[in-house]
Each structure stands twice: as C-alpha cells, then as structure tokens.
Amino acid sequence: MLKEPPLLTVRRHFERPAPSLLHKLKGVQTGHVVDAMLGRGALDHPIKPIDPEHAHFVGAALTVETGPSDNLAIIAALAIAQPGDVIITASDAFSATAVVGDNVSWMAKNKGVVAIVIDGMARDREGIVGVGLPVFARGITPNSCVKSGPGKIGLPIVCGGVAVSSGDVVVGDRDGVVIVPRLEAEAVIGRLDEVRRAEVETQARIAAGMTHPAWVTELLASDKVLEVE
C-alpha cells in the first residue's frame, strides 16, 4: 500500500540567472531565441498569452507541479517566489478546470513575479487583463479547481512538452514561450547576433524582390531531384 504523500514537496534554494543575463534577452523575439538554440525549446503551441497586449517577458523559472484540477502548489509558490521569477506550472494539460485566475495573477504581480505560465487552463480573462501580468495558458474556462495537493515546487518538470528546471530562463511573447536552460543561456545569447543579422539580410533580399532562396534553384537543378511527367 502506498504511503500518503506530503501535501507539498518544496525545493526553496536554487541558482537563478544573473539579472544582467536576463537583461540581454529582454524584448528578444522568441523565434530568434529558438533559432539560437538550433530550432527547439518552445512550449506546446496551444500555450499562448491570455492578453496578447501583455505577452513580452523574460525571467527565471520557478517550477511548479500540480495534479489535475488543483492549484495548491501554485498558491504556495507565491510565498516562495522572488522578484523576476516566472511561475511555470505542469498541470497534466488538464482542460476541465482552471488553476489560475485574476486573484492569483494579482498576488503574483504584487510579489514581483514577471509572468505565469501553465500547461493547463486559466479563468477570469477580464480580470487578468486588468492586472497586466503576462499569463500564458492552454485556454480559458470558468470552472474552478480545488486546493488539496499533492504538489511540488522547485523540482524539475515537463511543461508543454519541454523539460524545465528552476533557474532556467523563460522568454515569452505573442508567439509563445521558450525555455533556455540556465547553463546554456550565455551560449544562446552569443548566437543571437548571428541569428538577427541573418534575418535582416534575408528580409532585405525579400524586400528587393527575391521570390525564393538561391539554394532552392540549385537543389532543383541537382541529381537529388527526380523529374516526372
């Protein structure tokens, strides 16, 4: 017979990225961050901002794991969060009830949290918009959840199909949310200039009338393409 689990399992202490590092990613397009990580790192595509006008953020991950239809660990995380944190929650992608609403968002903003990201549902859209805190979720439902646990705070999770550890860098905009592992952040930042330069050069050629990349013409003329009638 299984032992009754603790209501909460909490890891309070972990290394966060330096504010100077986070500043380098402020306002950076999530697509560029993904390109600097060789094409991956974004959470599952349904996880989008409740209010697209409040979607841009960068901060340090404070991970939370809840059961479906439960937000005890999310509320407890408010007491542990530090200014600049992103409360990022794995909630089994449960869609029947919301685990975050306007009151939780408001308290998080009071604490200095820069965003809430959940792979479940939110509620109280009008109130969340009024709070002005970036909140990302799979969708909105008026249904409410319970606060019964068990839950975990500060431990590794998988949110939206991406592994996240507390202290990782979390970047968000209208397109979605990207996770940059803390130990890879400096290298990713180092590649961003190259990514942005290539984007500028490509768009300049498109603006000048380019209809397709030169490498497509070369591919179509090569022996790697079979022409049929």
Side-chain angles (χ1 to χ4, degrees), residues 46 48-51 95-101 118 120-126 128-129 135-143:
K48 289 293 189 290
I50 299 301
D51 178 12
S95 62
T97 61
V99 292
V100 166
I118 55 175
M121 306 292 280
R123 59 180 276 174
D124 310 319
R125 182 185 186 280
E126 186 173 341
I128 289 175
V129 170
V135 175
F136 287 66
R138 287 184 176 271
I140 299 173
T141 176
N143 289 338

Side-chain angles (χ1 to χ4, degrees), residues 52-97:
E53 298 304 315
H54 292 96
H56 289 266
F57 72 87
V58 59
L62 172 58
T63 57
V64 177
E65 182 178 328
T66 72
S69 192
D70 189 283
N71 70 356
L72 176 65
I74 297 174
I75 294 173
L78 296 172
I80 294 168
Q82 296 183 12
D85 281 352
V86 175
I87 294 178
I88 180 164
T89 302
S91 58
D92 289 348
F94 189 69
S95 62
T97 61

